[in-house]
Amino acid sequence: MRPGRVGQTARVSAIVWTAAVSLAAWLWLLLCQGFFWRTDVRLPPRREPGEWPSVCVVVPARDEASVLPASLPSLLAQDYPGRAEVFLVDDGSSDGTGELARELARRHGGLPLTVGSPGEPPAGWTGKLWAVRHGIGLARARAPEYLLLTDADIAHAPDSLRQLVAAARTGGFDVVSQMARLRAESLWERLIVPAFVYFFAQLYPFRRIGRPGARTAAAAGGCVLLRTDAAERARIPDAVRHAVIDDVALARAVKKSGGRIWLGLADRVDSVRPYPRLHDLWRMVSRSAYAQLRHSPLVLVGTVLGLALVYLVPPFALLAGLLLGDVTAAALGGLAWLVMTGTYVPMLRYYRRPPWLAPLLPFTAFLYLLMTVDSAVQHYRGRGAAWKGRTYARPDAVADEG
């Protein structure tokens, strides 16, 4: 055999084997990763309690004047039969967030609103969790049975609190969390936002989170109903004060302390925060991507290789197989790409986006790969993770998440 043909055969064999491994990975994800691709995990069966427990809503807010008019009135207008009160923590805003909140409460009425200010966070605290701690401290005087932790950009349907409490009471859950439907209107939002939730569900399959005895634990910080005694038992938020990815850390702490948790997709809990440019979405993802990897270079390398194998190899194998005339490589790559596309379609439907976006998932995954690498680069440049203008460069910023 001529040397050139031997080299070509070796290249083809490598492509075939790599495509075969990628296809095997996709078949495993399809069947063995908690059916992460399904989007029918919504609030569990529930019935209204005979007596409605008291609830305090805690909203950490830093420079949120642009979104409060679209979100805060929805909290104040909650149709809740029991006692409920809203505590908005103005965390050193420079845009008049606190005063705007008071004005919205005067204008719209509804649930009582208290606006507090925690001051600068001490060493060892992320700013958002310090604000949450201050809000929980204010709420403690009301002795609520539940706390609703929700972000300043989240708009709730009028019965949102009612449904969350009913689900928690009926199912005996200490945490009931809903992944708010993020905005997906601009070109880049349509391309990246559904994939963000898809990747999250792949890491933390919703079906496993609510299963008794399962180790998987996660929550979505935009909407977390937390039983107060479970928070005290798990030392929330003190136990997770370093955490950049605070929602996952909170869920792990509650589950580790013996609590039951549930997470699913929301029907009428929506984020109103816009991400019109790629830069905005890039910053959102890269802010915490390396923290998700526990600031480990080895895990970063493994993640990059894994993303390449799972998401980039299928289209590459299909195109290379067609160009080199290797039917096996093309078939394996095409089949892996088809499985990938099929698992993404339900998420696009949930976001009311056209299914023709599904084959573009490899391109979106490549963007996420670059964002993850950029997150690591920023970390080693000393910039670290950031929340609303604060930077947390501590290497152990997520030490308490485990």
Side-chain angles (χ1 to χ4, degrees):
M1 184 179 293
R2 290 178 296 178
R5 184 170 294 276
V6 171
Q8 183 180 16
T9 301
R11 285 196 302 272
V12 170
S13 298
I15 295 172
V16 168
W17 280 108
T18 306
V21 172
S22 182
L23 176 59
W26 271 110
L27 292 176
W28 183 87
L29 288 170
L30 176 69
L31 301 174
C32 304
Q33 188 59 4
F35 295 100
F36 76 95
W37 43 271
R38 294 184 59 171
T39 57
D40 57 349
V41 182
R42 311 296 171 88
L43 278 177
R46 54 206 175 276
R47 58 182 180 275
E48 295 195 346
E51 183 177 347
W52 290 90
S54 61
V55 182
C56 286
V57 182
V58 176
V59 186
R62 180 174 171 85
D63 293 333
E64 297 286 18
S66 62
V67 296
L68 277 186
S71 60
L72 185 58
S74 73
L75 280 174
L76 301 175
Q78 285 300 297
D79 177 20
Y80 186 68
R83 181 166 57 86
E85 189 170 347
V86 179
F87 294 86
L88 184 138
V89 183
D90 181 9
D91 183 19
S93 299
S94 59
D95 64 352
T97 289
E99 186 52 44
L100 175 60
R102 295 185 184 93
E103 173 58 29
L104 290 170
R106 286 192 292 267
R107 189 187 314 164
H108 293 276
L111 298 183
L113 173 72
T114 299
V115 177
S117 180
E120 284 298 309
W125 282 83
T126 63
K128 180 180 177 180
L129 285 171
W130 180 244
V132 169
R133 187 180 191 273
H134 184 75
I136 292 176
L138 293 174
R140 190 172 290 121
R142 309 298 196 269
E145 185 173 337
Y146 289 95
L147 299 163
L148 175 61
L149 311 181
T150 185
D151 289 341
D153 64 308
I154 303 300
H156 293 256
D159 63 345
S160 175
L161 181 57
R162 186 177 190 138
Q163 297 297 330
L164 285 166
V165 171
R169 273 293 186 85
T170 303
F173 296 108
D174 297 288
V175 170
V176 173
S177 179
Q178 289 186 290
M179 176 74 74
R181 200 190 306 258
L182 305 176
R183 208 186 88 125
E185 300 300 326
S186 71
L187 172 64
W188 288 111
E189 286 172 342
R190 294 180 185 188
L191 189 64
I192 292 176
V193 165
F196 177 83
V197 181
Y198 172 88
F199 293 144
F200 184 93
Q202 195 174 84
L203 287 172
Y204 306 104
F206 296 159
R207 276 177 164 71
R208 290 182 181 172
I209 290 170
R211 189 184 304 162
R215 296 183 59 187
T216 306
C223 179
V224 179
L225 184 75
L226 172 63
R227 189 187 292 271
T228 305
D229 59 2
E232 294 172 353
R233 187 170 62 246
R235 296 177 49 247
I236 300 296
D238 296 57
V240 296
R241 61 189 178 277
H242 297 153
V244 174
I245 310 173
D246 53 90
D247 42 13
V248 174
L250 180 151
R252 285 175 176 168
V254 171
K255 200 164 195 177
K256 188 176 180 179
S257 67
R260 291 191 61 201
I261 65 175
W262 183 93
L263 171 64
L265 294 170
D267 284 316
R268 292 188 296 160
V269 177
D270 303 295
S271 172
V272 299
R273 191 185 307 282
Y275 294 96
R277 303 170 299 167
L278 175 60
H279 171 74
D280 302 317
L281 290 157
W282 192 290
R283 187 172 56 183
M284 177 191 76
V285 174
S286 65
R287 177 184 76 86
S288 59
Y290 198 41
Q292 178 69 52
L293 305 182
R294 299 179 181 274
H295 300 120
S296 169
L298 289 178
V299 177
L300 173 65
V301 171
T303 299
V304 169
L305 293 176
L307 285 171
L309 175 67
V310 173
Y311 290 99
L312 305 185
V313 164
F316 173 80
L318 174 61
L319 296 176
L322 293 176
L323 289 174
L324 296 173
D326 188 279
V327 176
T328 304
L332 290 171
L335 186 55
W337 197 356
L338 183 63
V339 175
M340 180 199 315
T341 299
T343 63
Y344 190 39
V345 168
M347 188 60 69
L348 289 173
R349 286 178 176 166
Y350 170 73
Y351 271 94
R352 305 182 186 99
R353 298 298 108 196
W356 60 260
L357 289 172
L360 300 180
L361 186 57
F363 172 71
T364 306
F366 180 63
L367 290 178
Y368 274 89
L369 186 155
L370 295 178
M371 294 174 195
T372 302
V373 172
D374 180 60
S375 179
V377 170
Q378 298 304 320
H379 172 78
Y380 289 113
R381 285 181 176 176
R383 299 177 185 177
W387 185 73
K388 290 292 180 179
R390 288 198 183 101
T391 300
Y392 313 106
R394 288 168 50 92
D396 58 340
V398 290
D400 290 305
E401 285 193 53

